Amino acid sequence: MNKLYISIVSHNHDEMIINNIYNEKIAAMENVIFIIKDNVSSKNLLDFCRVNNILYIDKPLYVGFGENNNVAFDYAINNGMEDSDWFAVINPDVIITDVEVKNLLSSLSSEKNELLTINLYQDLEKGIFDNSLRKFPTWKSFFNLFLGKPANVAYDKIKLSDKDKVDWAAGSFLIFKASLYKKLKGFSNKYFMYYEDVDICYRAKKNHNQSVSFLKNIKAVHIGAYANRNIFSKHFRWYLKSFLTFLLNK
């Protein structure tokens, strides 16, 4: 059975990762290799990883989301990951149970598509969908930002079936066949934060004919901050810059 390598990037997310009881259970699963890329070098997180047999990396420090995951991917390659294995990028604020990971492994064993995502919700009761599946943005989308309209059109998950294809899925939970991630050369370092996920999904579709496959029956909870929505925040400025970078490079 092919292995699943999980990459989680921490930027002062120690408590969130350590207090998530499922992380220990997932790390102990057969055919799962758990990697934490610590962006700030926390001793508490290092100790947690040592106790729970989780691979830990803390260099380089203070780099962007994409570069951190690329470092984790290279580390996984150096620790035995093969082209036929899977590489999952997961946010630290995503809660997925060990049972759902087991179901995911079962799905991956017969999966033909090389880029996937799962069904994310905003609440523990799984009653509110997370708008994690969207259509590729356009220049019209960009100007919608300043008109009070949605910049990115979300798919209606109710209307989607299992394994339907979508343009892009949020980097809070993306799963790549290792060979595809390698061909894509990972996330682009043109993006420090935001739109790395849009860009990599766009390149996968454009250059390798791989759209994102939606595994509707695999479920998890994403507790997002959505800091980019405040136009006076530095997060919004990063968001705006990344949006423009994507449009100018597509």
Side-chain angles (χ1 to χ4, degrees):
M1 184 176 183
N2 296 330
K3 295 180 180 178
L4 173 65
Y5 287 74
I6 294 175
S7 169
I8 293 183
V9 176
S10 174
H11 191 93
N12 292 314
H13 293 102
D14 302 29
E15 289 188 13
M16 190 174 289
I17 293 171
I18 293 170
N19 293 336
N20 182 344
I21 61 171
Y22 298 110
N23 284 338
E24 297 178 26
K25 295 179 180 180
I26 293 167
M29 292 177 65
E30 188 177 2
N31 296 316
V32 173
I33 294 85
F34 208 135
I35 302 171
I36 297 289
K37 170 57 179 72
D38 189 355
N39 208 29
V40 297
S41 193
S42 161
K43 185 179 183 303
N44 286 340
L45 196 52
L46 171 61
D47 291 342
F48 172 78
C49 290
R50 283 175 172 169
V51 169
N52 291 286
N53 195 33
I54 296 174
L55 300 178
Y56 175 90
I57 323 164
D58 66 349
K59 298 293 188 298
L61 296 174
Y62 308 111
V63 296
F65 171 87
E67 185 174 350
N68 274 311
N69 281 297
N70 290 346
V71 168
F73 182 82
D74 290 341
Y75 193 80
I77 290 289
N78 293 330
N79 281 271
M81 183 168 66
E82 300 179 354
D83 284 353
S84 57
D85 290 328
W86 296 91
F87 181 71
V89 173
I90 304 177
N91 271 16
D93 58 356
V94 167
I95 302 172
I96 183 168
T97 68
D98 51 314
V99 173
E100 290 290 353
V101 172
K102 183 179 179 181
N103 293 336
L104 175 61
L105 284 168
S106 179
S107 294
L108 293 177
S109 65
S110 59
E111 182 57 53
K112 302 300 182 184
N113 210 60
E114 298 181 3
L115 177 55
L116 312 121
T117 191
I118 67 168
N119 199 353
L120 295 177
Y121 292 80
Q122 293 183 11
D123 60 318
L124 293 174
E125 294 73 28
K126 299 184 178 67
I128 304 171
F129 286 122
D130 184 278
N131 290 327
S132 54
L133 312 177
R134 297 179 182 270
K135 297 180 180 179
F136 289 128
T138 63
W139 281 104
K140 181 181 178 181
S141 309
F142 177 77
F143 291 113
N144 279 344
L145 276 174
F146 305 97
L147 299 174
K149 299 178 181 179
N152 292 295
V153 178
Y155 286 88
D156 184 348
K157 289 183 176 179
I158 293 177
K159 296 179 180 179
L160 291 174
S161 299
D162 185 45
K163 297 194 177 182
D164 273 355
K165 302 298 191 297
V166 298
D167 280 355
W168 67 276
S172 41
F173 209 118
L174 279 172
I175 310 162
F176 302 82
K177 180 75 86 170
S179 57
L180 176 63
Y181 196 92
K182 188 183 294 184
K183 286 186 284 189
L184 290 165
K185 297 182 180 178
F187 289 97
S188 172
N189 287 336
K190 292 178 181 177
Y191 304 86
F192 175 76
M193 186 179 292
Y194 305 116
Y195 272 73
E196 307 96 325
D197 43 11
V198 188
D199 172 79
I200 201 168
C201 292
Y202 181 80
R203 289 187 288 116
K205 184 174 183 178
K206 179 182 178 182
N207 301 328
H208 303 285
N209 196 32
Q210 285 291 323
S211 295
V212 181
S213 182
F214 176 44
L215 301 182
K216 188 172 185 176
N217 299 322
I218 310 296
K219 302 175 182 180
V221 177
H222 177 218
I223 307 169
Y226 308 108
N228 60 292
R229 293 182 180 179
N230 180 351
I231 64 173
F232 300 107
S233 72
K234 64 180 180 181
H235 285 271
F236 182 78
R237 294 193 295 273
W238 288 337
Y239 180 84
L240 201 62
K241 180 181 178 181
S242 294
F243 202 146
L244 283 169
T245 299
F246 173 76
L247 291 175
L248 292 169
N249 285 275
K250 65 182 291 191

